[in-house]
Amino acid sequence: MVFRQIYEEGLAQMSYFLGCPATGEALVVDPKRDIDTYLDLAGSLGLTITAVAETHIHADYLSGARELAKATGATLYLSDEGDENWKYRGLEGLPHVLVRDGDEFKVGNIRVKVLHTPGHTPEHIAFLVADGAVSDEPLLLLTGDFVFVGDIGRPDLLEEAAGFKGTAEPGARRMFRSLKERFLTLPDHVQVWPGHGAGSACGKALGALPATTVGYERRHAWWAEYLERDDEEGFVKALLQGQPEAPTYFKEMKRLNRDGMPILGGIPHPARLTKSQFGKALAEGAILVDTRDKFAFAGGHLEGAINIPAGKSFTTFAGWLLPYDRPLVLLARPEEVEGLVRALIRIGLDNVVGYIPDLEGYAEGELETVPQITVEEAKALWERREALVLDVRGRDEYLAGHIPGALNLHAGRVLAHLDRLPKDRPLIVHCLGGDRSSTAISALLAHGFRNALNLTGGIRVWQAAGLPMEKGEALVSA
């Protein structure tokens, strides 16, 4: 059996390619939307993709399953578990099989058994794989967002991101039963290949290793002790505590992955825009996504631009801050454009109408800068209570230590809470070192907050100066 893990760094997402050399057939599980990766791999191995499977209706990225099935004619294998809210739709014209717990299918000599593993989502399934050319014994488990290395899938996303209230605790209890009745009944030697690694928002303590085993997780995962003593209440409490902020775009991904999304038929290649074409795009409502670093953006940018630096966090912040109903223009180096477009289509931001490589030709007076404030100036305003401090770090960071009186809004959620922020007094914005605050301030500036000031160096300089800090939650009124 041929087995490959394909890792996408921006979303810490893992998909899988399994091939049978004897019959020339291949299976892809949980593909990303830029499917040329799998087509090229199949071609290099002399295999044909005949099956595509999904573990669940994903929230953090737009699946490439339909795209890949359309391109290859492969059969889709999708969950038929869960209630009517989580049944796949929009499958007309695509060969597909809806599977339930205990069903099996073959791809050449590869045998795949379906296990219903609810908890992260009601319809979630995992795939227990045997290399039939060697043995009928299970070799590996493709767990999706059920079991990660050292962690398990969060059960609160339907409530946090998709708006299904009252589902977090029942989901945690279903996760407990899935671990007990499905995962821990498997032999220790079974390899566990998850859908995400460290950096994903689909769990709170994901490990960085690419895989694990049932036996290792049974002994060392944080949740194992609760299962060992059959402590469901303790498990539920521990699982729901400390989960990271759920990006707002997750709701859109759930809907599109359930109901269907546009078939791209290839990677879009937006053109370089002339200055007049760029001006026309902006006049027609396009948003400029400035992918330069925080220093370049602070030194001079076009009014209304959103600063999302190219890099590991680009996809997530794009999902948090960019609308799905307006065209986008990228400010990026030509060699970076394709990678950025791939990152955007992975979360359904398809309408990139072009790019500009720089701001050459714009006079200094046509650019705005990010107002900066030193720690000494910030301290003086804070002491006189003349400013509101806006901490745009994650909640756990804030609880571990923050400037007394600071309001905490994750940088990705600033736009959803503009009504909580004043425009009539200084707004001192900070994160740890300045990256997230640059993104947050760009969004604030684009929405008319001319009072936003960036704390140069972030909270690190405040701490280094020995200024007051406090821990825990604070009731802050803007």
Side-chain angles (χ1 to χ4, degrees), residues 24 58 92 156 158 175 257 275 295 452:
H58 300 283
E92 297 80 8
D156 64 323
L158 295 184
M175 178 65 80
N257 282 322
K275 190 171 183 179
F295 301 111

Side-chain angles (χ1 to χ4, degrees), residues 213-281:
T213 65
V214 171
Y216 191 87
E217 297 305 302
R218 187 196 309 274
R219 289 166 177 78
H220 301 294
W222 69 259
W223 50 263
E225 61 179 289
Y226 296 101
L227 272 293
E228 187 175 5
R229 60 176 183 262
D230 202 27
D231 180 7
E232 182 173 334
E233 299 304 318
F235 171 87
V236 169
K237 183 178 179 181
L239 179 55
L240 292 176
Q241 283 181 341
Q243 293 290 356
E245 289 82 359
T248 50
Y249 78 93
F250 277 19
K251 183 176 182 178
E252 184 74 2
M253 296 300 93
K254 277 286 186 185
R255 183 185 67 79
L256 289 170
N257 282 322
R258 181 191 65 186
D259 299 345
M261 69 291 291
I263 301 298
L264 296 175
I267 306 300
H269 295 285
R272 177 171 175 168
L273 303 179
T274 64
K275 190 171 183 179
S276 63
Q277 289 172 328
F278 174 52
K280 183 172 183 291

Side-chain angles (χ1 to χ4, degrees), residues 164-176:
F164 285 78
K165 300 301 181 185
T167 56
E169 183 176 326
R173 296 189 186 279
R174 283 193 291 270
M175 178 65 80
F176 186 85

Side-chain angles (χ1 to χ4, degrees), residues 302-320:
L302 287 176
E303 184 176 337
I306 304 295
N307 181 219
I308 308 178
K312 188 175 180 180
S313 299
F314 177 80
T315 311
T316 301
F317 275 106
W320 256 317

Side-chain angles (χ1 to χ4, degrees), residues 353-411:
V353 296
Y355 78 94
I356 58 172
D358 50 47
L359 293 176
E360 185 178 347
Y362 286 91
E364 187 175 328
E366 296 178 272
L367 303 179
E368 69 175 0
T369 59
V370 175
Q372 304 289 319
I373 187 169
T374 66
V375 68
E376 293 81 9
E377 293 167 334
K379 174 178 176 288
L381 289 176
W382 172 77
E383 287 178 334
R384 295 196 301 267
R385 299 188 179 183
E386 293 178 2
L388 175 67
V389 177
L390 177 60
D391 186 334
V392 297
R393 297 175 300 159
R395 175 176 168 78
D396 286 349
E397 294 173 279
Y398 176 81
L399 293 176
H402 58 268
I403 298 171
L407 175 66
N408 179 224
L409 288 176
H410 186 284

Side-chain angles (χ1 to χ4, degrees), residues 313-329:
S313 299
F314 177 80
T315 311
T316 301
F317 275 106
W320 256 317
L321 295 173
L322 300 180
Y324 280 82
D325 59 354
R326 291 177 63 181
L328 306 175
V329 174

